[in-house]
């Protein structure tokens, strides 16, 4: 019998003892009792966004800055809900857990709430929150210079020759700035605290259990919650999971992106070489196998001679082209915009238009949470510059599309202060109420990493693999089989009998 099963049986026996007039003592009483006297009230108000559900509401949830001092300083989380439009069909509350680190749950609820409401036919109140550091929740700042806040510098792309001297200097600079300016709020940006915050939100909602739809990094949060609070989970969906290895966490996710890009790129190559592209002038090559050499040669040319873009002072460099490719691999709908960028860089008649996420630096608060969670969650090795340089050189040779970025140095190697908590270890101890869904060719959370999550969860989970590429499956890539699997589980509780596949 698993630990979870023993605990469940013990609690059941304790409840029976109470009913018989006996006294519950010790650890069982601690686990069973909950007064809720300190549970905050949520003052809801309308907050519908353009193109979002008209019924969306928002509120503020106070949470402890440090859960070791629950009565101490409080910070605020922005929370949101869309109440069931069919109260007679409502069976509970479903929390939407966003990716990132750094994505907004409130925004994702606005984007996906209407579709999720239709799919689940009013079975749930839909809720979400902005994690610490995100959106309208309490934020922190590292006071970074603008040049250190571009996506291509936060992602630590090596220099044109593969050198990392500039990356090392920037990583030290960012780590020192965050230590100097971030304070205890920045130090509180951890997955462990997001898990506790989620449970605080559950309490404020007055729910005994939650269901969940988590995506990308959010699957790690969801898996951690299911590990820490298994008895408080109802129907739990992990969409696009990474390897939960507690020794590596985000370091492993980044490293896996190199192979993920290799797995996904053939989808773009087939698209870019298809004769249909002739109609819009976006056919990059006559055959799919010619597309990768073309993109790599163009990136190398831009390394040597960047092209002025339509954004003054922000040229199209080789690394900006590589990052644009990484972003475009997330969804087939982005293929055309990347092909247009390639065409503009080749033709030279007009300056290329950079994607918005590359044309300007991130807000300082957004950069802080992106770096903060990754560096606070687990101690990164204090590897020498020479060792990083060797790793980058080897990775560039094996995976030229990502040019060594996934294994390069980050501010985490110079982060000041040890993690406040150890990363959670995901195990098979808990109820069998988890559905995993995963694209076969995911550039960000590759399928082989998701198999590690599947292995860790054991009989708690069933995995549905969708035979297509991209990042994010449910209500995201138009695969009816995958959507039916998740919707069916959320509305009926039924999962496939075992791991299964959906045709692309």
């Amino acid at each position: 019998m698993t630990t979870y099963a023993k605990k469940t049986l013990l609690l059941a026996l304790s409840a029976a003892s109470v009913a018989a007039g006996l006294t519950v003592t010790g650890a069982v009483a601690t686990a069973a009792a909950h007064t809720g006297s300190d549970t905050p009230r949520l003052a809801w108000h309308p907050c519908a966004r353009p193109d979002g559900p008209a019924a969306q509401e928002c509120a503020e949830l106070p949470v402890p800055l440090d859960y070791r001092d629950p009565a101490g300083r409080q910070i605020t989380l922005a929370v949101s809900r869309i109440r069931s439009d069919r109260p007679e069909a409502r069976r509970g509350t479903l929390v939407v857990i966003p990716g990132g680190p750094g994505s907004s749950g409130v925004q994702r609820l606005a984007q996906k709430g209407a579709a999720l409401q239709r799919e689940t036919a009013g079975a749930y109140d839909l809720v979400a929150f902005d994690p610490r550091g995100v959106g309208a929740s309490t934020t922190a700042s590292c006071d970074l210079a603008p040049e250190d806040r571009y996506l291509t510098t936060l992602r630590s792309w090596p220099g044109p020759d593969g050198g990392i001297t500039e990356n090392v200097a920037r990583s030290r600079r960012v780590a020192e700035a965050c230590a100097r300016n971030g304070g205890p709020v920045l130090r509180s940006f951890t997955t462990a605290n997001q898990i506790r915050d989620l449970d605080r939100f559950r309490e404020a909602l007055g729910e005994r259990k939650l269901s969940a739809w988590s995506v990308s990094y959010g699957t790690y949060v969801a898996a951690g919650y299911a590990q820490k609070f298994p008895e408080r989970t109802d129907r739990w969906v992990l969409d696009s999971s990474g390897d939960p290895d507690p020794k590596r966490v985000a370091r492993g996710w980044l490293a896996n992106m190199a192979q993920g890009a290799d797995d996904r790129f053939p989808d773009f190559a087939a698209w870019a070489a298809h004769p249909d592209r002739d109609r819009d002038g976006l056919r990059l090559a006559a055959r799919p196998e010619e597309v990768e050499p073309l993109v790599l040669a163009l990136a190398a040319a831009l390394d040597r001679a960047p092209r002025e873009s339509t954004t003054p002072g922000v040229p199209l460099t080789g690394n900006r082209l590589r990052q644009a490719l990484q972003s475009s691999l997330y969804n087939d709908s982005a293929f055309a915009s990347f092909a247009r960028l390639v065409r503009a860089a080749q033709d030279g008649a007009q300056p290329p238009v950079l994607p918005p996420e590359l044309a300007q630096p991130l807000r300082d608060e957004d950069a802080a949470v992106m770096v903060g969670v990754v560096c606070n969650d687990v101690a990164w090795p204090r590897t020498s510059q020479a060792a990083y340089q060797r790793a980058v050189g080897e990775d560039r040779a094996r995976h030229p599309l990502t040019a060594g970025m996934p294994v390069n140095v980050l501010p985490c190697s110079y982060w000041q202060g040890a993690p406040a908590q150890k990363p959670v270890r995901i195990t098979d101890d808990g109820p069998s109420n988890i559905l995993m869904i995963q694209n076969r060719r995911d550039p960000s959370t590759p399928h082989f990493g998701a198999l590690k999550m599947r292995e860790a969860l054991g009989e708690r989970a069933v995995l549905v693999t969708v035979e297509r590429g991209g990042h994010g499956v449910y209500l995201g890539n138009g695969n009816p089989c995958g959507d039916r699997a998740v919707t069916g589980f959320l509305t009926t509780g039924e999962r496939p009998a075992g791991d299964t596949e959906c045709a692309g």
Side-chain angles (χ1 to χ4, degrees):
M1 183 180 292
T2 67
T3 302
Y4 174 79
K6 291 176 181 176
K7 179 181 177 183
T8 302
L9 177 59
L10 194 55
L11 287 172
L13 291 173
S14 300
S17 298
V18 171
L22 301 178
T23 302
V24 182
T25 60
V28 175
T30 302
H34 179 70
T35 65
S37 59
D38 59 346
T39 302
R41 290 179 174 270
L42 296 173
W44 296 104
H45 60 86
C47 63
R49 298 185 174 205
D51 301 322
Q56 188 165 0
E57 299 176 295
C58 292
E60 292 185 342
L61 172 68
V63 297
L65 173 65
D66 185 344
Y67 277 93
R68 294 170 297 187
D69 182 18
R73 179 182 172 186
Q74 304 290 296
I75 60 174
T76 302
L77 303 183
V79 303
S80 189
R81 75 175 177 185
I82 303 170
R83 303 182 78 171
S84 169
D85 56 354
R86 294 179 58 200
E88 73 281 1
R90 183 186 181 278
R91 65 169 306 275
T93 294
L94 186 149
V95 59
V96 176
I97 306 177
S103 294
S104 164
V106 175
Q107 183 180 46
R108 185 162 182 83
L109 186 60
Q111 294 168 341
K112 297 293 186 179
L116 190 55
Q117 204 169 31
R118 286 194 302 270
E119 286 289 313
T120 58
Y124 297 96
D125 289 343
L126 308 177
V127 301
F129 68 92
D130 284 350
R132 300 172 184 227
V134 177
S137 295
T138 298
T139 60
S141 170
C142 292
D143 196 19
L144 302 179
E147 59 268 24
D148 290 339
R149 291 188 269 114
Y150 281 94
L151 189 55
T152 45
T153 52
L154 289 169
R155 280 285 177 92
S156 207
W157 289 91
D161 61 352
I164 67 168
T165 298
E166 186 176 348
N167 301 128
V168 169
R170 180 180 298 110
S171 294
R172 289 184 185 275
R173 187 164 65 242
V174 169
E176 290 167 0
C178 288
R180 185 169 57 250
N181 303 313
V185 173
L186 179 67
R187 291 293 299 168
S188 80
F189 295 169
T190 66
T191 300
N193 277 337
Q194 188 170 338
I195 290 168
R196 294 184 180 94
D197 291 344
L198 175 54
D199 200 55
R200 183 82 164 179
F201 189 25
R202 177 196 60 78
E203 290 180 344
L205 291 166
E207 295 289 349
R208 187 172 62 88
K209 290 185 176 184
L210 293 172
S211 292
W213 171 33
S214 60
V215 180
S216 192
Y217 161 73
T219 64
Y220 180 62
V221 176
Y225 186 91
Q227 189 68 40
K228 186 174 179 62
F229 304 111
E231 71 282 0
R232 299 173 192 173
T233 62
D234 188 7
R235 296 172 184 173
W236 221 242
V237 176
L238 308 186
D239 182 342
S240 306
S241 304
D243 183 351
D245 180 359
K247 294 180 180 178
R248 290 166 60 81
V249 193
R251 187 162 57 94
W253 304 336
L254 280 168
N256 288 348
M257 288 175 66
Q259 184 60 52
D262 290 349
D263 294 343
R264 171 63 164 152
F265 187 84
D267 293 337
F268 171 73
W271 180 94
H274 197 280
D276 285 354
R277 304 287 84 75
D278 285 330
R279 292 198 297 264
D280 48 22
L282 297 181
R283 192 178 187 189
L284 300 184
R287 297 179 299 170
E289 57 267 30
E290 297 172 353
V291 177
E292 182 174 342
L294 179 152
V295 171
L296 292 175
L298 178 60
L302 291 169
D303 282 338
R304 296 187 296 270
R307 285 281 318 279
E308 290 301 320
S309 75
T310 56
T311 304
V314 187
L316 177 60
T317 62
N319 281 340
R320 286 198 171 96
L321 184 76
R322 295 180 183 102
Q323 182 57 57
L325 171 61
Q326 290 304 112
S327 299
S328 73
L329 295 179
Y330 276 46
N331 197 294
D332 290 5
S333 64
F335 286 176
S337 61
F338 180 71
R340 278 192 289 271
L341 185 65
V342 170
R343 276 285 183 235
Q346 289 176 321
D347 295 344
Q350 298 291 332
V353 179
L354 295 177
E357 69 271 15
L358 299 183
Q360 57 189 6
L362 275 69
R363 289 192 323 146
D364 192 60
E365 293 84 356
D366 295 338
V369 70
M370 180 185 296
V371 174
V373 175
V374 169
C375 298
N376 286 333
D377 266 3
V378 66
W380 288 52
R382 304 287 180 175
T383 306
S384 68
Q385 179 171 338
Y388 271 116
Q389 186 67 74
R390 285 193 298 272
V392 165
E394 292 169 0
D395 210 57
R396 285 169 67 87
R398 285 195 298 265
H399 308 288
L401 288 170
T402 47
M405 177 274 291
V407 298
N408 200 5
V409 64
L410 285 176
C412 307
S413 293
Y414 308 105
W415 207 245
Q416 298 182 26
Q421 305 93 14
K422 290 184 178 180
V424 65
R425 184 173 70 89
I426 306 303
T427 74
D428 61 357
D429 190 23
S432 184
N433 63 350
I434 298 172
L435 178 70
M436 295 178 60
I437 189 162
Q438 195 85 15
N439 285 326
R440 177 73 72 183
R441 300 179 302 282
D442 186 322
S444 182
T445 52
H447 191 265
F448 64 84
L451 292 179
K452 296 291 187 180
M453 178 73 84
R454 173 70 185 86
E455 180 182 9
L457 290 168
E459 293 184 2
R460 299 180 68 183
V462 171
L463 172 64
V464 176
T465 297
V466 178
E467 291 292 343
R468 63 167 297 153
H471 184 56
V473 185
Y474 186 52
L475 305 182
N477 66 13
N479 183 268
C481 173
D483 286 351
R484 282 195 303 270
V486 176
T487 296
F489 173 59
L490 291 176
T491 55
T492 70
E494 295 181 4
R495 300 177 303 177
D499 294 352
T500 188
E501 297 179 358
C502 286

